[in-house]
Amino acid sequence: MNINRRNFLIGTGSAVGALMAVPYISHAQSKPIRLGMLLDTSGPFSAYGIPMEKASQLAVESINEGGGLLGREVEIVFRDTQSDMANYTTFANQMVRQGLDVFHGGILSASREAIRQTLRQREIPYFYNVLYEGGVCDGNTFVTGTTPAQQVEALIPHAMNAYGAKKLYVLAANYNYGQITAAWVKRYAEQNGATDVEVEFFDLSDGEFGPAAIAKIQESGSDLVVSVLVGAAQLSFYSEWLGSGMLANPDVHLISTTFGVGNEHKVLPAAQSDGMLVANNWAPQNDSAENKAFLEAWAAKHGNTDDIHEIAVSQYQGILLWAHAVEQAGSVERSAITQVLESGASIVGPSGKVEMDPATHHCKLDIHVMEIQNQQMNIVKSFAQREPVDTQSVCNLTENPDSNVQYEITL
Amino acid sequence: MDIAFIFAIQIIYAIAVLTLISLGLALVFGMMRIINLAHGEFITLGGYATIMATKAGFNIWVAMLVMAPIVVGVWSLFIERVIIRFLYGRLIYTMLATWGLSLAMTGGLTMIFGNTTEGVALDIGSIPIGVYQVNGYNLFLIFSVAVTSILVAWVLYGTVYGRIARAAMQNRDMTQAFGYPVKRISMLTFVVGGMLAGLAGGILAPTTGVSPFSGATWIADAFITVITGGTAPLLGTLASAGILGVVSTSTVLIFSSAAGGIALLIAALILLRLFPLGISSIWQRSGK
C-alpha cells in the first residue's frame, strides 16, 4: 500500500475515531442504575439509619459483584437527612430532578409521608423498608417491613397460652404506631379469651415511670404486661420494672412489640430484659444459610455485627427484592417491575422468605417469637409467612390500582 | 389504704425529681442571673461520667455520688473561665452562648459515645408496701434529694461563703467595695451549680439510661420549674417543684400520663400569670 499523507490521515483518523467511539458506546450501554436513598445517619434517629445505610452498601455491593443488573452497575445516590424531616422533602426534590430509577429509604412515618408524593408524581418506585403502623395504600410504594398485626397476631396468643395469662395491661407510646398496635393487641387478646385488657398511653418524652405506674399495673391484677413503648425516654420503664421486683415476679410476664428493634437489649443491662418475649421478622440466631451468609458478609465488610437490627435487614431485603424484580422484568421501568412484584415475586433473605402481597404492596413475612436471655434473642417459636392482615382489611390495589392514601386503621 | 400511700410516694418522688434536675440551674440563675441552657447536657455529662467510672471499675455509688459531680464541676470551671465570665450581666448573651454550648456538647457526646442509650445496672431491691412493691431506688432518690437540699440550704444560709454569695447577689458593687472577690465567688457558684447538675445526672442514670440527647428531656422541666420558682435559689425551686409535682402527678393518676405533661404546663402558666417574677417574689417583695 502506498502511504502518502492523505491515506495516512484517513487511516489514523478513522482508527482514532473508532477508538474514541468504543468507550463511548459501551459507556452508554452500562450507564449505572441510580438507586436514590435518604436515611438519617446523624441525629437522634441515626441509631436506626446508620445500620440501614451499611446494609444498603452490602446489598448493592453483592449485586455489582454478581455483574450488576441487566449488565449495568447499581449506583447508590445517598444523602444524610440528619434526623430533620424538612430535609427529606428538599433532598428528594433535588434527587428526582437529577434522575433516579428507584428509591429506597425513609425511616419514620413522617419522613415517608414527606417524600411519597414526590416519588409517585415522578413515577419512581418507592421501597419503604421499615416496620411501621400499616395502612399505606399506594400503587407506587412497596413495603418490606412488618405491620402491627403481623407481630401481634403471633406474639399475643403465644404468650397468653404459654403463661396461661388472661388479664393484659398494655403500655403504649402515645402516637399512631402505639395507638394502632395497642388496638391490635386488644383484638387478638379478646379473640384468644382474655377477660380484661387495660391500655395506658405515655408521651414519647415521658421518662418517668414512678411507683404509681407500677402500682396501677399491680392493682389491675394483670398477668401479662405488653410494652409498646418507643424511644429513649421510655426505656426507663424497664429499669423501674426490674427495680420494683416485677420482672422477677413469677405471676406477671413482660412481652414487647418494640423492644430490641433498635438493639435495646444490647445497650441496657442484661438484667432488665432477661425473660422478656418479643416477636420480630429477623432472628439473629436463625441458622438458615441466608442468615449465616449475611452475617459473614456483614462481618467481612463492616466488622462487628452487633449493630445489625430488624430494619437494617428489611432494607437489605428490600433492595434484593427490587433487584429480583428488575431481573425478572428485564427493565427498570416502573410498570414492568410493578407487574413482576404484583405477580407475587419473592426472595429468600436473612429473615426468611419475603413475598409481595399483590393487593397491598406489603409483604408476607416470617415472624419469630423470641425470648431475651443475657442480651441474646433465642427463638422460641416460628410462624411462617404471616399476611399483612391489617393493611389487607382496608387496601386493595388489585381493584383500585390508583389508590394513594394512608388509611388510619381503627378497630 | 396502701394505694393512697403509694400515690403519696409517687407525688413526693415527682417533686424530688423536679427539684433534683432544677437545683443547679436555679442556683446559677438565682445567684448570677445566668440562664444555663446547657444545663440538660451538664446532667447528661454526669450520667456519662457515672457510666464511664463504673466501667473503669469504680464502685457504682462512688461513681454516682462522687465522680459525676467532680467531672461536671471541672467541666463547669473550664466553661466559666472560657465563656461565662465574659458575659456576666448580659442575660440574653448567656442564653445564646449556653444554647450553642448545649448543641456542641450533644454533638461531641454523640461523636464519643455514639447515638445509643447506655444504661448502668443498680438494683437495690424492692420494698413491699401492703400488696404492692415499690422500687427501693425511688426511695433512695427521694432521700438523696432531701439530703442535697439540706446541704445547699446549710451552705447558703449557714456558712460565710453563703452569706457573701447572697450579698453579691443582692448588690454586686457593694460587695466588691467591701473587698470580697466577687468574680471568684461567681466562678465558685457556677462550679457548684455544675456539680449539682452532675449529681442529678449520676442519680438519674440508673433509672433512665443516658443518651447524647437525654439533656433535652430534662431541660424543659428544669427551666419551667426554675422560672416558676423565681430567683430564690432553694426555696423558690422547692415551692414550684412542690406545686408542679402535685398538679402533674395527680393528673397522671386521675387521667393519664399524657394529660400530666399538659397539666404541668398549664399550672406553670397560671402561676406565672399570678406571679410574673416567680413564686418566690411573694416573700421577696417586702425586701424590695
Side-chain angles (χ1 to χ4, degrees), chain B residues 136-158:
Chain B
Y137 196 79
N138 292 338
L139 302 179
F140 164 75
L141 189 144
I142 293 169
F143 171 76
S144 58
V145 173
V147 171
T148 310
S149 302
I150 291 167
L151 267 177
V152 171
W154 174 71
V155 170
L156 280 181
Y157 298 98

Side-chain angles (χ1 to χ4, degrees), chain A residues 42-47 174 200-203 205-216 218-219 232-233 235-237 239-246 249 262 267-269 271-272, chain B residues 3 6-7 9-10 13-14 17 110 115-121 123 125-126 131-138 206-209 211 213 217-218 221 249 252-258 261:
Chain A
S42 61
F45 310 128
S46 63
N174 198 14
E200 180 155 17
F201 292 107
F202 294 89
D203 265 6
S205 61
D206 199 334
E208 285 165 46
F209 293 87
I214 307 292
K216 270 177 148 178
Q218 286 180 299
E219 193 190 31
L235 284 180
S236 65
F237 168 75
S239 80
E240 198 64 33
W241 190 248
L242 172 72
S244 61
M246 294 298 288
N249 186 331
V267 291
L268 292 185
Q272 289 183 12
Chain B
I3 192 77
I6 297 272
F7 284 0
I9 293 178
Q10 171 74 57
Y13 175 75
V17 170
T110 311
N115 180 28
T116 50
T117 305
E118 288 200 53
V120 56
D123 186 11
S126 60
V131 294
Y132 305 106
Q133 287 170 303
V134 172
N135 186 352
Y137 196 79
N138 292 338
T207 75
T208 59
S211 84
F213 295 87
T217 52
W218 303 118
D221 283 355
T249 313
V252 169
L253 295 175
I254 298 166
F255 299 103
S256 70
S257 161

